[in-house]
């Protein structure tokens, strides 16, 4: 209110025009300032948003490129290389490095996958990083492994937990960051990056690196699955040793090197367990599997120890142990200097079987037969070497348990000969090329009186003429063909003797003595087969005498006793052949129901010049008399031998003095004369 003025005068007061204009101008100016500030703020926000959108789009493109690259490859190293390269270029980082977690998950190591914007300038740091190994918690990668999360370092040259500090300072690197590559909840790898400027972490960067880590983790999963499939395809499921496929791959590689370089050596070893089938049959397949696993572990440990010992003395040979099937193992040895190293290795393998394996509460001692073949330029491929090593192994097995044999050309010739004979034996069985000859057995009290005949097989070979048993029986036994031959001999001899009896008549019928092979005697159906032959041939059982060797008789004395008692119940007689040359023992002899003993020809031949042999023969005769057993002496050739044996109390004799083994016709003629 103006001084001295009234209320009425106040109502009629009008401000000066100039004051109102100034007021409106000030308000307009303030509005303009606010609008300009708002517009500038909006522009800043828009620019920032566009920048964020651009950066987001760029990172999505980065993720897309890495994802596409990862999907195009099954190799983890290739996928990591794409990722490290793309990230460094996109982020303008100086160096990137990929590391993978080891099998024990306690270390992470460089896999030689890296990117450097300026390799020459960063050479010291690259060399320190490409194969670097970090324990959990140590260094930048170790911290990621331990904490399972990303890590940042503002200045690596001032970080006390950064082992590569000096090289980083030398190369001018400052900031660093590292991110985990995840497979589920597991850290499978680490990506580390370095820059010469500060690296500012943000949510977008963390998010995109997390997604990249997940994509790479999927590649690692695929890579692991692929490697597992390859491993399973090349390794034995039970023992985890290399299988035949991997063994052959390595052996063929060694063979190529050997053929190309005369200084390179290789050998293959075949190891076959002795008596493994018996373990399966008696203790079951589960026990057999346990034995194979134990044996495989032992051999592998021994071979590794032998390799390490050899390296300690300057040698550098390598060995690959593989299970190639059943109870058979192969060993490839390459890069050795002398054959003696391979022979020492076979001795080492034998020694690893010394301690027993405990199966089902039982201590099982296992041994192995080993065959070795050394490579040379005459071989056309590895298969030939393995065949020769196999031949050597079978030769070792024929020598008894726990033996080794090295293949030689002489052995190869012998094996090829035996193989040819086996092939011809099969044809001989099919074409009935065998014949029986009969050697007389006489009473020493009346040598002109034939008591019986021993049936002896001959092979009427179409090219080589008449062959004696010594030229083919061993091969027939080893090949299993003796079962067919033995069955034919049993039937043919009984049929022929039965025919003699029908022709000659009379009360005194000559017996027929038939050799029973070990494999034949051990067949479960042996008793049934003998009974069937007796029925089919119509022979008087009392005129049949079956000869069994000592070794077979005592292999399973209880079973042998049961079989002999069944056969003897029909009237068939039994003889113990070649008594005194094998496992003679009173304890088993008195428990087995034999009717006769046959004294081996070696004792008869030595009687004239050896009092010791004469004493052994007399002891056998006295023993047989005590046990009420008949004795037949084999190999009698002279009148002196005949007279001495008669005076000593021997019942019967057989040998060239009374005639050689002859055909059916000649044998029948002698029977008719008697």
């Amino acid at each position: 209110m103006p001084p001295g003025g009234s209320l009425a005068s106040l109502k009629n007061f009008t401000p000066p025009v100039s004051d109102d204009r100034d007021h409106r101008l000030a308000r307009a100016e303030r509005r303009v300032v606010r609008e300009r500030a708002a517009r500038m703020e909006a522009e800043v926000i828009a620019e920032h948003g566009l920048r964020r959108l651009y950066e987001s789009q760029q990172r999505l493109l980065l993720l897309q490129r890495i994802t596409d690259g990862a999907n195009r490859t099954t190799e983890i190293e290739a996928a990591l290389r794409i990722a490290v390269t793309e990230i460094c270029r996109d982020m303008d980082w100086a160096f990137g490095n990929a590391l993978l977690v080891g099998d024990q998950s306690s270390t992470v190591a460089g896999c030689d996958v890296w990117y450097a914007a300026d390799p020459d300038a960063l050479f010291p740091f690259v060399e320190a990083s490409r194969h670097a190994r970090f324990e959990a918690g140590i260094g930048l990668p170790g911290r990621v492994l331990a904490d399972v999360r990303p890590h940042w370092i503002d200045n690596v040259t001032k970080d006390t937990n950064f082992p590569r500090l000096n090289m980083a300072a030398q190369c001018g690197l400052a900031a660093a960051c590292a991110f985990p590559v995840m497979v589920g909840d597991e850290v499978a790898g680490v990506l580390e990056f370095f820059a010469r400027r500060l690296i500012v972490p943000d949510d977008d960067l963390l998010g995109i690196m997390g997604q990249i880590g997940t994509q790479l983790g999927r590649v690692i999963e695929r890579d692991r699955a692929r490697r597992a499939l390859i491993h399973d395809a090349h390794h034995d499921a039970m023992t985890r040793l290399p299988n035949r496929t991997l063994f052959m791959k390595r052996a063929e590689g060694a063979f190529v090197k050997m053929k190309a370089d005369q200084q390179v050596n290789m050998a293959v070893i075949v190891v076959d367990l002795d008596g493994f089938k018996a373990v399966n049959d008696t203790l079951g397949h589960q026990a057999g599997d346990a034995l194979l696993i134990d044996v495989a572990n032992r051999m592998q440990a021994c071979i590794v120890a032998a390799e390490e010992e050899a390296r300690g003395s300057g040698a550098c040979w390598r060995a690959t142990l593989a299970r190639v099937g059943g109870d058979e193992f192969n060993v490839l040895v390459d890069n050795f200097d002398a054959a003696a190293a391979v022979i020492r290795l076979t001795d080492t393998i034998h020694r690893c079987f010394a301690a027993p394996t405990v199966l089902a509460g039982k201590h099982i001692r296992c041994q192995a037969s080993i065959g070795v073949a050394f490579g040379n330029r005459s071989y056309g491929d590895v298969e030939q070497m393995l065949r020769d090593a196999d031949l050597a192994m079978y030769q070792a097995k024929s020598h008894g348990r726990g033996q080794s044999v090295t293949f030689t050309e002489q052995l190869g010739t012998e094996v090829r000969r035996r193989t040819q004979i086996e092939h011809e034996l099969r044809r001989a069985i099919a074409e009935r090329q065998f014949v029986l000859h009969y050697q007389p057995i006489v009473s020493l009290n009346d040598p002109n009186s034939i008591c019986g005949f021993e049936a002896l097989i001959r092979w009427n070979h179409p090219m080589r003429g008449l062959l004696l048993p010594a030229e083919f029986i061993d091969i027939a036994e080893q090949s299993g063909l003796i079962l067919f031959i033995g069955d034919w001999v049993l039937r043919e001899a009984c049929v022929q003797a039965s025919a003699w009896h029908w022709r000659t008549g009379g009360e005194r019928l000559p017996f027929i003595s038939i050799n029973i092979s070990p494999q034949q005697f051990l067949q479960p159906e042996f008793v049934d087969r003998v009974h069937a032959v007796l029925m089919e041939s119509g022979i008087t059982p009392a005129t049949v005498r079956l000869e069994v060797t000592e070794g077979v008789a005592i292999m399973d004395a209880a079973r042998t006793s049961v079989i002999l008692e069944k056969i003897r119940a029909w009237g068939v007689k039994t003889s113990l052949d070649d008594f005194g040359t094998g496992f003679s023992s009173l304890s088993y002899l008195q428990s087995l129901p034999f009717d006769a003993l046959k004294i081996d020809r070696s004792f008869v031949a030595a009687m004239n010049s050896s009092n010791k042999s004469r004493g052994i023969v007399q002891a056998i005769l006295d023993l047989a008399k005590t046990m009420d057993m008949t004795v037949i002496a084999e190999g009698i050739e002279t009148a002196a031998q005949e007279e001495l044996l008669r005076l000593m109390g021997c019942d019967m004799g057989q040998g060239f003095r009374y005639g050689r083994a002859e055909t059916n016709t000649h044998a029948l003629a002698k029977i008719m004369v008697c």
Side-chain angles (χ1 to χ4, degrees):
M1 177 181 301
S6 64
L7 185 60
S9 61
L10 180 61
K11 292 180 179 179
N12 296 322
F13 176 76
T14 301
V17 174
S18 59
D19 291 343
D20 183 58
R21 187 174 56 251
D22 291 341
H23 179 68
R24 282 182 292 154
L25 183 58
R27 281 193 303 174
E29 288 177 350
R30 287 195 298 273
R31 186 182 304 113
V32 170
V33 169
R34 285 196 302 272
E35 289 176 354
R36 184 182 298 114
R39 189 167 55 254
M40 291 179 65
E41 182 178 358
E43 290 175 354
V44 169
I45 292 173
E47 183 180 353
H48 181 70
L50 289 172
R51 188 182 306 114
R52 290 291 300 273
L53 178 61
Y54 175 77
E55 291 175 353
S56 178
Q57 289 175 338
Q58 291 301 112
R59 289 176 179 176
L60 286 174
L61 290 174
L62 170 65
L63 175 61
Q64 186 64 48
R65 291 196 300 274
I66 293 173
T67 300
D68 290 344
N71 289 334
R72 285 196 305 269
T73 181
T74 57
E75 300 288 341
I76 180 58
E77 288 81 4
L80 291 172
R81 184 168 287 105
I82 292 171
V84 168
T85 302
E86 290 290 346
I87 291 170
C88 284
R89 289 174 175 174
D90 189 84
M91 301 294 181
D92 193 25
W93 289 339
F95 178 70
N97 188 39
L99 305 95
L100 292 173
V101 176
D103 292 337
Q104 303 301 318
S105 300
S106 60
T107 61
V108 59
C111 56
D112 203 18
V113 174
W114 52 274
Y115 172 83
D118 188 351
D120 290 339
L122 294 176
F123 178 77
F125 194 74
V126 171
E127 287 300 299
S129 302
R130 56 194 298 209
H131 294 297
R133 181 178 298 273
F134 301 91
E135 300 289 333
I138 304 301
L140 181 59
R143 279 180 270 187
V144 174
L145 177 62
D147 299 340
V148 196
R149 64 177 180 83
H151 273 266
W152 261 264
I153 301 176
D154 290 340
N155 191 338
V156 295
T157 62
K158 296 181 180 180
D159 193 301
T160 56
N161 186 9
F162 191 78
R164 294 165 290 171
L165 183 151
N166 292 334
M167 279 74 72
Q170 179 182 345
C171 296
L173 297 175
C177 60
F179 308 90
V181 175
M182 304 296 296
V183 175
D185 297 330
E186 165 200 354
V187 178
V190 174
L191 300 182
E192 62 174 1
F193 300 95
F194 298 85
R196 302 182 188 279
R197 54 177 174 75
L198 183 66
I199 299 176
V200 180
D202 60 57
D203 292 340
D204 287 346
L205 180 58
L206 287 173
I208 206 71
M209 293 305 295
Q211 292 181 62
I212 291 172
T214 299
Q215 289 296 331
L216 294 175
R218 290 171 181 165
V219 178
I220 290 179
E221 278 190 296
R222 292 199 303 269
D223 185 70
R224 287 178 178 176
R226 181 182 63 84
R227 291 176 188 270
L229 287 173
I230 293 174
H231 181 277
D232 291 345
H234 289 86
H235 289 78
D236 175 52
M238 183 189 303
T239 63
R240 310 310 300 166
L241 291 175
N243 60 15
R244 184 185 296 276
T245 301
L246 182 55
F247 177 85
M248 290 303 298
K249 182 178 181 180
R250 293 181 179 178
E252 286 165 358
F255 186 82
V256 169
K257 292 179 181 178
M258 180 198 70
K259 295 283 278 189
D261 187 347
Q262 293 183 355
Q263 303 303 314
V264 175
N265 296 314
M266 71 172 291
V268 290
I269 302 173
V270 173
V271 182
D272 190 86
L273 303 189
D274 296 324
F276 177 74
K277 184 177 184 299
V279 175
N280 270 345
D281 292 344
T282 57
L283 300 179
H285 288 279
Q286 186 173 359
D289 291 348
L291 176 61
L292 287 174
I293 293 170
D294 182 57
V295 164
N297 291 338
R298 289 192 194 192
M299 284 196 288
Q300 182 74 332
C302 286
I303 289 172
V304 169
E307 282 182 324
E308 292 176 354
E309 182 181 353
R311 289 192 186 96
S313 60
C316 57
W317 56 265
R318 299 181 300 272
T320 297
L321 173 66
R323 180 185 177 220
V324 295
D327 61 338
E328 186 175 322
F329 298 82
N330 286 355
V331 184
L332 165 67
V333 189
D334 63 331
N335 206 36
F336 55 87
D337 294 326
V342 179
I343 302 305
R344 285 195 297 271
L345 181 60
T346 63
D347 293 339
T348 298
I349 294 173
H350 279 306
R351 287 196 299 272
C352 82
F353 291 102
T357 299
V358 180
L359 298 174
K362 296 183 178 181
H363 287 73
I364 305 298
R365 291 192 176 275
C366 185
Q367 291 178 294
S369 297
I370 296 178
V372 183
F374 288 94
N376 58 61
R377 288 178 171 267
S378 66
Y379 281 114
D381 53 38
V382 174
E383 290 287 358
Q384 290 181 348
M385 287 186 65
L386 281 172
R387 284 196 295 272
D388 287 350
D390 261 328
L391 294 178
M393 182 274 292
Y394 284 115
Q395 185 72 8
K397 198 171 283 288
S398 70
H399 294 168
R401 295 189 170 205
Q403 301 296 314
S404 294
V405 169
T406 298
F407 179 83
T408 62
E409 285 302 319
Q410 181 180 356
L411 173 61
T413 300
E414 173 62 19
V415 169
R416 284 189 287 271
R417 183 189 72 82
R418 296 172 73 89
T419 302
Q420 179 64 26
I421 291 176
E422 180 182 335
H423 174 73
E424 292 174 354
L425 275 173
R426 295 181 186 278
R427 176 176 294 178
I429 293 171
E431 297 179 359
R432 300 183 180 275
Q433 295 175 3
F434 299 106
V435 295
L436 289 183
H437 284 192
Y438 304 89
Q439 186 172 35
I441 299 172
V442 304
S443 169
L444 292 185
N445 289 323
D446 183 8
N448 293 319
S449 175
I450 295 178
C451 302
F453 291 88
E454 180 178 0
L456 299 171
I457 191 171
R458 302 289 186 263
W459 181 4
N460 192 13
H461 195 283
M463 302 296 293
R464 299 168 59 195
L466 205 62
L467 303 181
L468 296 177
E471 298 190 59
F472 62 88
I473 285 296
D474 285 348
I475 299 173
E477 288 178 341
Q478 292 176 12
S479 63
L481 296 176
I482 194 66
L483 294 175
F484 302 97
I485 296 173
D487 189 69
W488 177 84
V489 169
L490 176 64
R491 185 178 185 282
E492 182 69 13
C494 287
V495 168
Q496 191 58 67
S498 179
W500 293 341
H501 298 160
W502 280 101
R503 290 282 302 274
T504 59
E507 296 180 359
R508 190 170 175 275
L509 302 176
F511 64 78
I512 185 70
S513 188
I514 306 167
N515 291 287
I516 302 300
S517 73
Q519 293 184 43
Q520 192 178 4
F521 186 78
L522 294 172
Q523 289 298 301
E525 65 276 6
F526 174 69
V527 172
D528 294 336
R529 183 55 186 155
V530 171
H531 186 265
V533 169
L534 294 176
M535 295 299 100
E536 292 170 6
S537 64
I539 193 170
T540 302
T543 62
V544 176
R545 184 164 298 187
L546 303 184
E547 296 187 12
V548 181
T549 59
E550 285 185 79
V552 177
I554 68 168
M555 188 176 296
D556 186 344
R559 179 179 179 275
T560 299
S561 180
V562 171
I563 291 174
L564 295 181
E565 290 289 6
K566 287 181 179 179
I567 292 173
R568 293 176 78 241
W570 307 327
V572 174
K573 305 297 183 182
T574 58
S575 296
L576 187 60
D577 196 16
D578 299 334
F579 184 75
T581 61
F583 307 88
S584 304
S585 168
L586 291 177
S587 61
Y588 83 76
L589 186 59
Q590 65 182 356
S591 66
L592 297 177
F594 285 105
D595 298 288
L597 296 179
K598 296 192 76 174
I599 300 176
D600 186 69
R601 65 182 64 248
S602 61
F603 294 117
V604 173
M607 281 196 308
N608 292 335
S609 59
S610 171
N611 290 331
K612 184 176 181 180
S613 293
R614 193 178 305 152
I616 292 174
V617 171
Q618 186 64 66
I620 295 173
L621 290 167
D622 293 341
L623 174 64
K625 183 177 181 180
T626 301
M627 303 184 69
D628 194 26
M629 300 173 71
T630 300
V631 177
I632 303 170
E634 295 183 300
I636 299 175
E637 297 185 359
T638 67
Q641 291 171 339
E642 176 190 286
E643 181 63 14
L644 183 57
L645 286 165
R646 186 185 66 78
L647 293 174
M648 293 171 71
C650 185
D651 302 297
M652 300 181 191
Q654 178 181 352
F656 290 164
R657 177 163 174 76
Y658 314 111
R660 296 176 180 272
E662 296 179 307
T663 63
N664 165 52
T665 303
H666 288 89
L668 177 59
K670 288 188 175 183
I671 296 173
M672 300 295 285
V673 170
C674 293

